[in-house]
């Protein structure tokens, strides 16, 4: 085989190279001579394993900061504060529960305490299963909302646990409700945190970012445990172990700080994926000014605690029969409507209608039926089309965006969603919006709360 030509060093030259560990790590420069290599450490004050380097290696993802998103550090600082506050309030609520089950009370029995503890844990397990079944699919789509809701539920649960020994007759119900709230917090917080971790990991280093997050939480937990011991020793001198003013003052202060830190951290988080709220914000601005907002602008405008309560309600992934059925008689008589679906939505892998046959001026629902071949881009286009219809009905679209001839229909009770969709689809309005959004945002994931209903077959058959 033919060998590569040998590279020779010019007689009057030496070779110089520089290696660097990570983005901000130490540098090593090399001078290669003909018969030896001279290595020099170019980092000022380099003394092997410095304290800062050890901290980065133990608690920060490999390659930090280039391996994570820009909002990672801000979020982690606030997350550390909230975890520390939660550790201290957890110590206070545990003191209350132990007092409630009879620790320190000579009249209490071991079997009674065990039964109460098992009932608390059983309630939490059942609640965890039911919540996962009912809301599991929403945790990805609204990660920031459920991350904050998780900590609110955690604080509510600890508050109930603090109250339980004060009202002895209702100790078990209050303790069980407190455990239920904390169990739901565990599910919602863990799952939504996984979605946020996926956002932070820029190099497909999800496991590394998650592992370092666990290290940070463990370290904060240790510090919180030590502070909790100090707090317990301070409160040990109170006559009322669970109802004293100092106990409740500390609990209130750290609970408020816990919620504030959570809110601040989530407010600083700039997700790049599109859920319903972010698409609503982007499309509204696009209709007004023709520009796509960037991550930081949307993060400032979006609400952390958000649910889609606007009307008409958009049902994304509705069974096809709901587009044709009269909601009062459950009958379908207007087959001409199907011809309009074929004309307007042909080749788009979806069809929508705004509460057909409704004898009211404002439709209650925009039903969107999806074909089984619909891609994530098709689903996004369908949702934007539905937003267009909602904007027409609610009067939130700029007047120049309303199709000519439909101004009276929108307010006169004879609004036709299918015909109103014809012009923007023909002009490619929705496709332009998606193409412009794709320059900055991730449009390859479906986080729009889509159901599993899909149209498998659609054809005319003989009677």
């Amino acid at each position: 085989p033919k060998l590569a030509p040998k590279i020779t060093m010019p007689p009057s030259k030496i070779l110089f190279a520089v290696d660097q560990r990570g983005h901000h790590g130490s540098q090593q420069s090399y001078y290669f001579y003909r018969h030896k290599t001279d290595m020099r450490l170019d980092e000022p004050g380099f003394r092997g394993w410095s304290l800062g380097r050890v901290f980065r290696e133990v608690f920060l993802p490999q390659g930090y900061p280039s391996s994570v998103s820009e909002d990672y550090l801000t979020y982690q600082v606030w997350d550390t504060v909230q975890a520390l506050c939660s550790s201290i309030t957890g110590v206070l609520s545990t003191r209350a529960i132990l007092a409630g089950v009879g620790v320190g009370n000579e009249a209490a029995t071991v079997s009674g305490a065990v039964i109460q503890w098992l009932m608390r844990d059983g309630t939490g397990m059942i609640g965890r299963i039911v919540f996962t079944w009912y809301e599991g699919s929403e945790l990805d789509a609204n990660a920031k909302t459920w991350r904050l809701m998780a900590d609110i539920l955690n604080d509510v649960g600890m508050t109930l646990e603090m109250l339980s020994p004060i009202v002895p007759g209702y100790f078990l119900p209050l303790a069980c409700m407190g455990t239920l709230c904390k169990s739901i917090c565990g599910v919602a917080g863990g799952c939504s945190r996984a979605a946020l971790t996926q956002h932070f990991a820029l190099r497909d280093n999800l496991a590394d970012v998650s592992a370092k997050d666990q290290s940070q939480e463990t370290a904060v937990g240790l510090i919180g445990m030590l502070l909790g011991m100090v707090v317990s020793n301070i409160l040990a001198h109170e006559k009322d172990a669970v109802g004293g003013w100092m106990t409740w003052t500390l609990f209130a202060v750290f609970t408020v700080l816990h919620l504030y830190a959570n809110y601040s951290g989530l407010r600083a988080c700039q997700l790049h994926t599109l859920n319903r709220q972010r698409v609503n914000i982007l499309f509204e601005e696009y209709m007004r000014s023709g520009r796509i907002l960037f991550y930081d602008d949307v993060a400032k405008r979006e609400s952390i605690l958000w649910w889609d309560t606007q009307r008409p309600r958009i049902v994304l992934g509705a069974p096809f029969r709901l587009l044709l059925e009269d909601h009062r008689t459950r009958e379908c008589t207007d087959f001409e409507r199907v011809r309009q679906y074929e004309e307007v939505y042909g080749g788009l892998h979806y069809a929508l209608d705004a509460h057909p046959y409704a004898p009211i001026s404002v439709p209650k629902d925009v039903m969107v039926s999806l074909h089984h071949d619909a891609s994530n881009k098709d689903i996004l286009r369908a949702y934007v089309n539905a937003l267009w219809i909602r904007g027409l009905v609610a009067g939130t679209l700029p007047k120049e965006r309303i199709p000519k001839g439909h101004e009276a229909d929108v307010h006169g009770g004879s609004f036709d969603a299918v015909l109103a969709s014809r012009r923007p689809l023909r002009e490619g309005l929705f496709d332009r919006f998606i193409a412009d959004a794709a320059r900055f945002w991730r449009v390859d994931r479906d986080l729009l709360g889509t159901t599993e209903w899909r149209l498998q077959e659609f054809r005319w058959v003989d009677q």
Side-chain angles (χ1 to χ4, degrees):
K2 186 177 180 180
L3 299 176
K6 183 178 180 180
I7 300 176
T8 58
M9 182 181 297
S12 61
K13 302 286 185 180
I14 61 174
L15 182 62
F16 174 74
V18 178
D19 286 332
Q20 178 170 321
R21 181 185 177 90
H23 193 73
H24 290 294
S26 59
Q27 287 188 350
Q28 296 178 349
S29 62
Y30 306 88
Y31 292 89
F32 295 92
Y33 299 91
R34 286 184 173 276
H35 303 292
K36 67 173 183 175
T37 300
D38 181 16
M39 183 180 73
R40 300 179 183 179
L41 301 175
D42 289 350
E43 182 180 15
F46 178 79
R47 293 294 184 273
W49 285 84
S50 63
L51 183 61
R53 180 178 173 184
V54 171
F55 181 86
R56 288 196 301 269
E57 293 282 343
V58 174
F59 295 111
L60 295 177
Q62 183 178 357
Y64 173 86
S66 59
S67 62
V68 292
S69 59
E70 294 180 356
D71 51 359
Y72 174 80
L73 182 59
T74 304
Y75 178 82
Q76 291 302 119
V77 169
W78 284 113
D79 190 57
T80 299
V81 174
Q82 70 86 18
L84 189 61
C85 295
S86 182
S87 297
I88 296 174
T89 53
V91 170
L92 297 177
S93 65
T94 301
R95 288 178 75 250
I97 287 294
L98 292 176
V101 297
V103 174
N105 185 358
E106 296 179 357
T109 62
V110 175
S111 60
V114 170
I115 291 174
Q116 290 179 342
W117 205 273
L118 292 177
M119 292 184 68
R120 288 177 58 252
D121 288 350
T123 303
M125 293 175 184
I126 295 173
R128 190 181 298 121
I129 294 171
V130 172
F131 175 78
T132 303
W133 162 70
Y134 190 70
E135 288 289 349
S137 60
E138 293 294 321
L139 300 178
D140 266 323
N142 299 304
K144 294 171 75 171
T145 296
W146 281 111
R147 185 70 186 90
L148 183 58
M149 274 300 301
D151 287 291
I152 291 175
L153 287 171
N154 184 61
D155 290 338
V156 169
M158 286 193 288
T159 303
L160 292 173
E161 290 180 343
M162 291 283 292
L163 290 171
S164 59
I166 298 177
V167 191
Y170 296 94
F171 169 78
L172 190 57
L174 289 174
C176 288
M177 289 298 297
T179 303
L180 177 63
C181 291
K182 292 170 69 175
S183 297
I184 295 175
C185 163
V187 176
C191 296
S192 56
R193 183 56 190 261
L196 295 177
T197 303
Q198 189 175 20
H199 157 71
F200 293 135
L202 295 183
R203 295 182 179 175
D204 294 327
N205 54 339
L206 182 62
D208 184 32
V209 175
S210 181
K212 295 306 171 57
D213 180 63
Q214 293 297 321
S215 296
Q216 295 170 24
E217 287 191 5
T218 302
V220 172
L222 287 172
I223 298 173
M225 186 185 302
L226 296 175
L227 292 177
M229 293 172 59
V230 174
V231 170
S232 294
N233 288 331
I234 294 174
L235 298 178
H237 301 292
E238 278 195 312
K239 294 181 180 180
D240 190 347
V242 293
W245 68 269
M246 187 180 295
T247 299
W248 280 98
T249 300
L250 287 173
F251 182 79
V253 168
F254 283 109
T255 297
V256 171
L257 184 57
H258 172 244
L259 292 176
Y260 177 77
N262 264 291
Y263 180 84
S264 300
L266 292 170
R267 177 58 67 190
C269 194
Q270 302 172 11
L271 299 182
H272 300 177
T273 52
L274 291 175
N275 62 1
R276 289 200 177 199
Q277 182 182 191
R278 288 188 279 276
V279 175
N280 294 356
I281 294 171
L282 288 176
F283 189 66
E284 182 179 348
E285 180 64 31
Y286 192 77
M287 289 295 96
R288 182 183 298 111
S289 63
R291 69 188 184 96
I292 295 292
L293 295 174
F294 205 59
Y295 317 126
D296 54 348
D297 294 321
V298 174
K300 294 174 184 176
R301 298 189 187 190
E302 68 178 329
S303 173
I304 303 298
L305 289 177
W306 181 86
W307 284 268
D308 191 3
T309 58
Q310 290 182 275
R311 293 293 180 267
R313 183 173 60 108
I314 297 175
V315 181
L316 198 56
F320 183 71
R321 64 175 179 81
L322 295 182
L323 274 67
L324 296 174
E325 261 186 4
D326 188 323
H327 71 288
R328 297 164 298 173
T329 64
R330 302 284 182 179
E331 295 178 354
C332 174
T333 57
D334 189 4
F335 287 103
E336 182 60 30
R337 196 64 169 171
V338 180
R339 302 286 187 187
Q340 293 179 349
Y341 294 155
E342 292 178 321
E343 175 192 354
V344 176
Y345 304 114
L348 293 180
H349 291 157
Y350 75 90
L352 64 80
D353 214 335
H355 205 78
Y357 309 105
I360 54 177
S361 58
V362 179
K364 292 182 180 178
D365 302 313
V366 178
M367 298 290 183
V368 182
S369 176
L370 300 170
H371 191 266
H372 69 91
D373 288 332
S375 64
N376 290 337
K377 183 178 179 181
D378 294 323
I379 295 173
L380 179 58
R381 185 195 294 111
Y383 182 71
V384 175
N385 194 162
L387 283 181
W388 165 272
I389 299 303
R390 175 194 279 178
L392 287 175
V393 172
T396 58
L397 284 182
K399 293 183 179 179
E400 61 272 13
R401 297 286 185 174
I402 300 178
K404 294 182 179 179
H406 286 279
E407 295 87 349
D409 293 343
V410 173
H411 303 288
S414 59
F415 177 74
D416 192 321
V418 178
L419 297 180
S421 300
R422 179 181 295 166
R423 194 187 80 168
L425 283 171
R426 187 188 304 119
E427 295 177 353
L429 172 65
F430 307 140
D431 285 328
R432 287 200 307 275
F433 167 75
I434 295 174
D436 291 343
R439 295 163 53 197
F440 310 109
W441 295 85
R442 290 191 59 180
V443 299
D444 58 332
R445 296 186 63 194
D446 175 22
L447 299 176
L448 300 174
T450 310
T451 74
E452 293 300 315
W453 285 102
R454 297 292 186 273
L455 179 63
Q456 296 293 329
E457 189 174 3
F458 178 80
R459 58 190 174 92
W460 296 96
V461 297
D462 296 330
Q463 294 188 8

